[in-house]
Amino acid sequence: MKYKSQKVAYWFFALSMLLFGLQIIYGFIMGFAHAGYDGLHEFIPFNTARAVHTNLLVVWLLSGFMGAAYYIIPEEAQRELVNVKLAYVQLISLALVGVIAIVGYHFNYWEGRKFLEIPRPLDYLVVVNVLLFLGLILATLFKGKRKTTTALVLSMGLLFAALLYLPGMLPFDSQVKDSFFRWWVVHLWVEGVWELIMGGILSFLLIKLTGVDREVIEKWLYVIVGLTFLSGVLGTGHHYYYIGVNKIWLIVGGIFSALEPLAFLAMALFAVNMYRKGEKKHPNKLALYWTLGAAIVSFIGAGLLGFAHTLPQTNIYTHGTLVTAMHGHLAFWGAYAMIVLAIISYALPNLTGRKLYESTRGRAAYWLSNIGIIGMTVAFGVAGVAQVYLERKFKMEFMEVQKEIEIHFIVLILCATLFMTGIILYFIDFYKHGKPTDEALEIAS
Amino acid sequence: MLSKKQARAFFLGGTAVTFIIFIGLTIFSFSKAQDQSNDENITEAVVRGKTLWEENNCMGCHTIMGEGAYYAPELTKVIERRGEGYIKAVLTTPVDWAPNGRKMVAYGFTAEEAADLIAFFEWIGEIDLNGFDTVVSPLAKDKTNSN
């Protein structure tokens, strides 16, 4: 670590890990309910578990992104954060909003709009929180000694993510319009501006880990985020095929979302090529594993599995089935969870001074979680395809089909156990690094 | 070979062009001549039904127009499929509705609230969904009739 204020990143990462752990627990509740064991129904009905599971995902990833920004921006701008105390205020308020929202979901206090269940009064707090965060990051960047492309792309991603939250707050009487603009938030986040954040973090990690010239890496960063927006913005159309808007979206969404895997392919090739090209052998192999893993798994999960049901002709059957859950799990894991785990793996030894690079536990965490989530994806995929054929082709009743596919949820739970084991090992590794310390300044890489 | 400046121009230019097209298509989609969202038939009951739909996070288990969670049935055209009486019974029952053992929360809605939700479902059922309703609905309806 080069600047004392980078230490604040540690606490965002710690919050992120805590919420990630909770997210997995709620995932298990849902998995068991699908398998026919809904013993917690009275206290945590499925819609509560679902809202908690997806919202915790969003909050832990955002906390991870914010931690990444607090770590990366001072180093890129070559100066301390403009105000560390406010960064801690922002951390605590983020945690508070998250906790109130999650507790509220258990008492029917929500908005009931997929992924954006946070009730309106809390939405305003989110806006204030994010504005504070952006203020700190942008002020640091503009007062800094240099403004790198990596820092600009990362900040641009965070800024647009905040702006795009606003269309989700517009009130509509029509379910169609509500849905239409909800995707402006959700889709343009995950298949748009979050990829800027991912690209920025990826670029920072590749510069640090491979030693390839910054100019080369940042040039390709522009190409990749360019491809992302070129395909991703109009690719939003794949959410508009069957929700009550014009057929033009079948054509536009079909063509542009079919191009979306190209951006992920470019990102995977870019990461692997930079690794091959690099002459610097950074000792933090674990961070390298997570970085390259993020680029490759996001191509499979977001790119290929997304493509598998993105064409209108396929999507008319798979829309609103477990096929979406198959794609969603591996996409979020590869593109966003792994990149957050990558930056944490890179930053922790630098923040704490404990260089636990060669831990068997760390490697086991990597492999178990990845094998686990691939197994989960396959289980969701088999259940989803079976659902599509039985329900939409063979006209069976919804619940008859659900009974038929219960067994796949047992497989899902087994694979999720493997996944969770990996994540617990990652948490142990996190804990073993200890707290961040100013002494780590001297041993900085 | 591509320079960094050209790469940046590709990023900024591509983003600007696609975003402008995106906004244009959005305006086009909701323009009077092209609108197929059944907007003109939204009544106060439909709006109240939508509010109930959101306040109780029905989308946390069900899908509607294919959107939501995959734990409970798709509700597009549900009135046509099941009939008003069945839906009213599910919405107003004081005990958990549990077809095939999978429980739904007993919301115990009043008759007025149930009527609002039914109005909402009926309004949804009249939206032109570019053929999605034919995949979800008539097939299930055939099955119901054959039972």
Side-chain angles (χ1 to χ4, degrees), chain A residues 33-34 38 41-42 45-47 50-51 108 110-114 117 149 156 172-184 188 196 215 218-220 222-223 225-227 229-230 233-234 236 239-250 252 256 316-317 319-322 324-325 391-392 395-400 402-403, chain B residues 1-4 7-8 10-12 14-15 18-19 21-23 25-26 28-30 34-37 39 42 46-47 50 53-61 63-74 82 96 99-107 120 123-124 127-132 134-136 139-140 142-144 147:
Chain A
H34 263 289
D38 63 347
H41 173 77
E42 291 304 316
F46 190 88
N47 57 350
R50 156 104 189 183
N108 229 18
W110 46 21
E111 238 177 42
R113 297 158 71 235
K114 193 178 175 182
E117 285 89 349
T149 301
M156 204 189 284
F172 292 108
D173 286 341
S174 160
Q175 181 70 17
V176 175
K177 287 187 181 130
D178 206 305
S179 209
F180 190 94
F181 288 100
R182 195 170 48 81
W183 288 117
W184 275 40
L188 291 177
L196 288 187
E215 284 300 298
E218 291 183 340
K219 175 176 83 181
W220 289 110
Y222 271 135
V223 174
V225 293
L227 281 173
F229 276 101
L230 204 59
V233 174
L234 290 169
T236 316
H239 297 287
Y240 298 159
Y241 296 158
Y242 307 115
I243 64 161
V245 283
N246 199 274
K247 281 191 175 65
I248 189 122
W249 293 106
L250 296 173
V252 174
F256 283 88
I316 195 164
Y317 292 105
H319 180 49
T321 67
L322 289 158
T324 311
E391 194 184 308
R392 297 192 171 171
K395 311 176 184 184
M396 279 170 71
E397 282 288 332
F398 178 85
M399 266 318 295
E400 284 174 33
Q402 293 293 308
K403 281 279 171 201
Chain B
M1 191 61 187
L2 185 79
S3 71
K4 191 172 172 182
R8 186 170 54 212
F10 165 70
F11 163 54
L12 294 174
T15 305
T18 49
F19 197 72
I21 298 173
F22 183 61
I23 300 284
L25 285 173
T26 299
F28 172 78
S29 295
F30 290 112
Q34 303 299 329
D35 186 34
Q36 59 185 58
S37 66
D39 209 45
I42 297 178
V46 172
V47 176
K50 178 175 178 283
W53 171 263
E54 286 173 0
E55 280 177 356
N56 294 287
N57 193 15
C58 305
M59 223 188 212
C61 292
T63 43
I64 200 153
M65 305 190 296
E67 297 197 327
Y70 320 117
Y71 190 66
E74 166 67 51
R82 293 288 195 188
D96 285 341
N100 281 298
R102 186 169 287 182
K103 293 185 197 120
M104 174 174 162
V105 174
Y107 288 102
F120 174 66
W123 175 77
I124 291 272
I127 299 170
D128 177 357
L129 296 177
N130 292 338
F132 180 66
T134 62
V135 173
V136 189
L139 302 179
D142 293 348
K143 175 71 187 173
T144 311
N147 277 345

Side-chain angles (χ1 to χ4, degrees), chain A residues 155-171:
Chain A
S155 309
M156 204 189 284
L158 294 162
L159 177 68
F160 286 147
L163 287 176
L164 280 170
Y165 191 67
L166 304 177
M169 292 169 66
L170 295 172

